[in-house]
């Protein structure tokens, strides 16, 4: 079986823009859902809506794959699933090592979607001796002293860091020195890596802060809209019966 160390995705050599690469998993997720419902074809408009992009951008992205669909028919769902999976390197086995088996690391280890998407959790690693040998998702946790050997034995090229931020850089450097060339970082810190090593950062707190910004802005817009909807108080108009002989409103109204 092919491993991540001997095969690399073809996207860079084919000149596919990074922005397009970032959208390919969105298309694949939407297409997989259609495939599971046995939908044979899909239009660019339908697929774009399912992926959350506009149809012109989708058609441009697919042109980099050499896929243009058929007028009046649309795109073949199964063929697109294969085509995008191939471009992303998901038609082969990618062994992954997770370092830091706390709550988040354990949750990732238990995630059942890795295998169906071309990834295999090859090893779980933690620095806590009490974690060594403990089974998580049916995989025994191994001590971090064995990190380099584990990577070499399993041909791993993708590492996932779920450690506390204080040790993330040290773990990153050991991963890179052992041959890891792609890192998914969940630790809330910025990692420094040499050229040729790709890092994707996942920071849930930053994503929540961005959502908080949008919520605050929407609340401000709603408040402003409510204020503008309240009519200004009308000026009191004196009736002719309330006026005195000279047109002035008398200080004391007649009984």
């Amino acid at each position: 079986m092919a491993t991540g160390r001997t095969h690399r995705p073809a996207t860079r050599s084919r000149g596919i823009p990074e922005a397009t690469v970032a959208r390919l998993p969105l298309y694949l997720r939407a297409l997989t859902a259609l495939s599971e419902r046995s939908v044979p074809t899909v239009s660019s408009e339908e697929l774009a809506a399912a992926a959350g992009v506009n149809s012109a951008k989708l058609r441009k992205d697919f042109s980099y794959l050499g896929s243009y669909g058929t007028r009046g028919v649309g795109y073949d769902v199964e063929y697109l699933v294969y085509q995008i999976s191939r471009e992303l390197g998901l038609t082969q086995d990618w062994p992954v090592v997770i370092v830091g088996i706390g709550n988040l690391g354990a949750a990732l280890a238990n995630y059942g979607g890795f295998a169906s998407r071309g990834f295999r959790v090859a090893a779980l690693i933690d620095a806590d001796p009490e974690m060594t040998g403990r089974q998580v998702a049916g995989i025994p946790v191994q001590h971090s002293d064995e990190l380099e050997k584990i990577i070499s034995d399993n041909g791993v090229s993708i590492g996932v860091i779920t450690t506390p931020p204080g040790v993330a850089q040290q773990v990153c450097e050991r991963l890179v020195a052992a041959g890891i060339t792609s890192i998914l970082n969940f630790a809330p810190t910025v990692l420094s890596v040499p050229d040729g090593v790709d890092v994707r950062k996942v920071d849930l707190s930053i994503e929540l802060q961005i959502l908080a910004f949008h919520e605050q802005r929407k609340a401000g817009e709603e408040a402003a809209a409510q204020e503008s909807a309240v009519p200004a108080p009308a000026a009191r108009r004196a009736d002719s019966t309330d006026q005195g002989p000279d047109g002035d409103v008398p200080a004391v109204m007649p009984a």
Side-chain angles (χ1 to χ4, degrees):
M1 178 175 289
T3 65
R5 185 169 299 285
T6 56
H7 293 76
R8 303 291 293 174
T11 53
R12 290 180 180 174
S13 61
R14 290 172 57 121
I16 300 178
E18 287 295 326
T20 296
V21 174
R23 287 188 290 269
L24 291 182
L26 303 179
Y27 302 140
L28 183 58
R29 180 175 61 188
L31 287 162
T32 300
L34 292 171
S35 176
E36 290 173 350
R37 302 204 311 267
S38 299
V39 176
T41 59
V42 62
S43 69
S44 59
E45 290 78 11
E46 292 170 333
L47 183 54
V53 302
N54 65 67
S55 57
K57 184 175 294 183
L58 178 144
R59 288 191 292 270
K60 180 67 173 178
D61 289 342
F62 285 179
S63 71
Y64 291 111
L65 308 180
S67 184
Y68 299 93
T70 303
R71 185 179 296 276
V73 177
Y75 294 94
D76 183 286
V77 170
E78 292 298 333
Y79 179 67
L80 267 184
V81 167
Y82 165 75
Q83 200 173 23
I84 294 176
S85 297
R86 182 188 62 191
E87 288 297 334
L88 291 174
L90 304 182
T91 55
Q92 59 196 32
D93 175 52
W94 291 97
V96 175
V97 62
I98 301 176
V99 184
I101 313 304
N103 291 334
L104 179 56
L108 291 174
N110 278 285
Y111 174 58
F114 285 135
S116 63
R117 289 167 172 81
F119 302 95
R120 172 175 58 85
V121 179
L124 305 177
I125 301 175
D126 198 277
D128 184 357
E130 294 186 2
M131 288 291 297
T132 302
R134 185 176 301 181
Q135 295 274 332
V136 176
I139 304 172
V141 177
Q142 302 180 69
H143 194 269
S144 58
D145 288 346
E146 304 294 321
L147 184 146
E148 288 79 8
K149 184 177 185 300
I150 293 168
I151 292 172
S152 176
D153 290 349
N154 291 277
V156 180
S157 60
I158 299 177
V160 180
I161 297 178
T162 54
T163 66
V167 298
Q169 181 62 44
Q170 178 185 358
V171 169
C172 172
E173 292 170 1
R174 288 186 64 188
L175 289 173
V176 172
I180 292 291
T181 53
S182 294
I183 295 173
L184 181 61
N185 177 34
F186 283 88
T189 187
V190 177
L191 299 177
S192 176
V193 297
D195 292 339
V197 176
D198 296 311
V199 176
R200 299 288 296 181
K201 179 173 175 56
V202 181
D203 194 321
L204 301 180
S205 63
I206 288 179
E207 299 302 323
L208 287 171
Q209 289 167 3
I210 293 172
L211 289 176
F213 164 80
H214 290 296
E215 285 300 311
Q216 177 176 260
R217 186 184 64 180
K218 286 185 286 187
E221 291 173 350
E222 291 174 0
Q226 291 175 356
E227 289 180 3
S228 64
V230 176
R236 186 179 185 276
R237 185 178 62 187
D239 294 329
S240 58
T241 55
D242 296 339
Q243 296 179 351
D246 296 326
D248 297 329
V249 177
V252 178
M253 298 299 293

